Amino acid sequence: MSDGDGAPGRLSGRLVALGVTGSIAAYKAVELLRLLTAEGADVVVLLSASASRFVGALSFAALSRHPVETDVLELQADGRIGHIVVADSADAIVVAPATAHWLGAMANGLAADVVTAACLATSSPVVVAPAMDGDMWTHPATQANVARLRDAFAYAIVEPDTGSLASGQSGVGRLAELPRIVDAVVAAVAGRPIRQPDAGARPPLAIAPVREEDLGGRHVVVTAGGTREPIDPVRFIGNRSSGRMGVALAEAALGRGASVTLIAADVSVALPVDRARVVRVETADELRSALLETLFGSPPAPPVARFDALVMAAAVADFTPRAPAAGKLSRGEGLSLELRPTPDILAEVSRIARGAGGPGSPGDGVIPRPVLVGFAAETGSLDRAPDKLRRKGLDLLVANDVTEAGSGFGSDTNRVVILDAEGGREALPLLSKRAAADRILDRVAAALDARDAAGQTAAMQERNA
Ligand code: CTP
């Protein structure tokens, strides 16, 4: 062990993946993680959905210092596929506790959870420590699955102990004593070279590399989600936006030290209500009012900057029913809706901020000049994007093709192209929405720094004149 005597642990330099599945014994995996770490292992945890109902990912993340893999479909912040990174870099995978259900899924190669997916994808040794009720353990199905894992897959099985079980009965099925599981991992890796000594090829650290607070002291306003335009008190015209991209932008801006106002229409993700000023809206008109008040005050104030950047990720309805019905419409003979176009909110903000007119526009616009970022969800081609950027008077336009796999509404990933007012075009690879958000904010931070540097130079020239 790597304790006070300074002797290297038996797993020193190894990466061990700890797969935890949904047994009552899942809490013991926290202690197992500690024991593996005490042997010098770098441990990354894979948590099945049912296991996360017994033990939260946070304990594992805090102790392992790696993000916990919980979802086969989720990408890491840097865009890599989490369970594949684990499968390719771990020296061993230890599944403890392994439930009867998990043994069945693994025996049949059903990779619906991160633990089976990583085991299927790895060429490293796998150690399995089952835990369950005594009758489940002795059932022929379980025994057949265990035999398959041991004989056909060459997995090391750490047989459960006999003792009192969660049901109150006594029998065989208790998770093996933890030192026995650690010994099995040590035996499994013995004589093998360390697979991936390069930390860069291993799973990332949970404590994300400390980002410079390059938006510290900035007020970033983000809009997110889809607006809902009422047809009657029950029905509305909506869209497929989940708000994921906008919320990722707000989270990323908070992480970089900005003070954030998030104006959220309909979203299907949690909002950072404790760290940002969050304003909830429903319709395009409500979004417009909330945004104009946040950006320019009410009534619109003199040209004092109340915000540094606006990132307009909301999917704003382009049309709204001209006269929503006061009472619920009945099916009757059918329905024809008369729609009116909604105001182009972003274009209006741009006109006011740039001093080019608009209601209450301060003549010279807002000083210092805020950075305006629009989004364009296109289908099939991004040809219309440069014109949209010009028409709306934006600094940056983030365009994506929502028909592309992995880039649509509700997905956790996005492939975007960032266009700028100088005609530049930066095509980003498929990234998690959080990683894409940070790349967008890299551009915002750089634009704000350039703005301030230009302002200082102008002020100096004025003083010297
Ligand atoms: N937007 C807005 N107000 C609207 C519609 C859109 O502020 N009434 C904003 C969106 O939040 C987005 C940008 O404008 O940041 C581009 O939205 P998009 O729907 O692609 O552009 P439209 O102006 O609606 O152009 P078109 O309908 O021709 O695609």
Side-chain angles (χ1 to χ4, degrees):
M1 291 211 182
S2 55
D3 52 16
D5 65 4
R10 292 179 297 163
L11 295 170
S12 182
R14 303 279 185 185
L15 175 66
V16 175
L18 171 58
V20 185
T21 68
S23 148
I24 190 105
Y27 75 93
K28 294 184 182 172
V30 179
E31 178 62 8
L32 178 58
L33 161 54
R34 214 188 51 72
L35 293 179
L36 292 166
T37 313
E39 288 285 359
D42 180 12
V43 180
V44 61
V45 176
L46 309 157
L47 202 58
S48 76
S50 53
S52 66
R53 297 180 64 179
F54 289 99
V55 210
L58 199 56
S59 311
F60 290 118
L63 289 170
S64 70
R65 299 186 60 243
H66 287 290
V68 173
E69 295 294 336
T70 53
D71 184 348
V72 226
L73 301 178
E74 200 165 315
L75 297 185
Q76 291 172 344
D78 55 10
R80 295 184 297 166
I81 303 169
H83 63 275
I84 300 295
V85 174
V86 171
D88 288 349
S89 56
D91 290 282
I93 300 180
V94 51
V95 185
T99 60
H101 177 88
W102 183 82
L103 294 169
M106 193 66 234
N108 289 286
L110 303 177
D113 68 276
V114 272
V115 185
T116 23
C119 289
L120 275 180
T122 197
S123 57
S124 289
V126 177
V127 175
V128 177
M132 66 198 71
D133 168 72
D135 291 329
M136 289 172 84
W137 172 247
T138 50
H139 194 284
T142 308
Q143 288 303 310
N145 291 330
V146 171
R148 185 161 164 77
L149 263 52
R150 182 176 39 227
D151 303 335
F153 302 175
Y155 288 3
I157 309 292
V158 186
E159 301 261 339
D161 284 340
T162 305
S164 59
L165 303 169
S167 59
Q169 298 170 354
S170 188
V172 60
R174 274 172 72 89
L175 182 69
E177 288 300 319
L178 301 182
R180 209 147 67 77
I181 303 175
V182 176
D183 289 347
V185 176
V186 171
V189 299
R192 291 169 170 260
I194 290 179
R195 254 185 110 196
Q196 196 47 268
D198 176 6
R202 289 185 174 187
L205 291 176
I207 312 350
V210 184
R211 255 189 185 278
E212 196 197 335
E213 294 220 332
D214 56 0
L215 291 173
R218 309 285 197 194
H219 179 201
V220 176
V221 180
V222 180
T223 67
T227 62
R228 292 176 161 188
E229 308 301 321
I231 296 170
D232 66 16
V234 187
R235 307 176 180 94
F236 58 82
I237 300 176
N239 60 63
R240 294 186 190 279
S241 170
S242 64
R244 276 191 170 78
M245 190 67 234
V247 173
L249 280 154
E251 295 275 4
L254 286 165
R256 299 164 78 136
S259 87
V260 173
T261 300
L262 175 59
I263 301 181
D266 182 50
V267 295
S268 52
V269 285
L271 298 170
V273 282
D274 48 340
R275 287 164 298 136
R277 175 178 167 248
V278 175
V279 183
R280 297 306 308 265
V281 295
E282 190 163 321
T283 64
D285 285 340
E286 283 175 22
L287 193 152
R288 175 178 174 273
S289 306
L291 185 61
L292 292 182
E293 183 174 347
T294 299
L295 302 181
F296 305 114
S298 172
V304 181
R306 301 168 68 105
F307 71 112
D308 293 284
L310 166 66
V311 186
M312 190 81 180
V316 184
D318 285 323
F319 300 98
T320 189
R322 192 175 289 282
K328 184 182 171 192
L329 296 169
S330 65
R331 188 181 318 137
E333 291 291 292
L335 175 67
S336 294
L337 276 179
E338 196 187 337
L339 304 177
R340 67 168 167 85
T342 56
D344 186 334
I345 305 167
L346 191 50
E348 183 176 353
V349 166
S350 167
R351 278 197 304 277
I352 300 174
R354 309 272 188 260
S361 164
D364 293 332
V366 171
I367 301 165
R369 200 171 157 281
V371 170
L372 303 180
V373 184
F375 272 73
E378 303 289 341
T379 50
S381 136
L382 304 185
D383 290 353
R384 293 173 346 128
D387 179 53
K388 221 171 250 189
L389 178 135
R390 263 191 309 278
R391 199 161 28 92
K392 295 183 191 248
L394 306 177
D395 298 282
L396 299 169
L397 183 77
V398 182
N400 69 330
D401 178 354
V402 290
T403 59
E404 196 187 309
S407 243
F409 296 110
S411 123
D412 283 318
T413 53
N414 211 350
R415 188 197 305 277
V416 302
V417 176
I418 306 177
L419 308 177
D420 62 41
E422 289 73 44
R425 190 183 171 96
E426 184 187 3
L428 302 184
L430 185 67
L431 293 172
S432 69
K433 284 190 171 165
R434 174 56 195 262
D438 266 313
R439 298 287 288 269
I440 295 162
L441 293 180
D442 286 346
R443 300 288 300 264
V444 171
L448 286 170
D449 289 346
R451 173 196 80 173
D452 291 352
Q456 276 164 10
T457 312
M460 253 163 52
Q461 282 167 348
E462 207 167 286
R463 268 203 305 278
N464 296 339

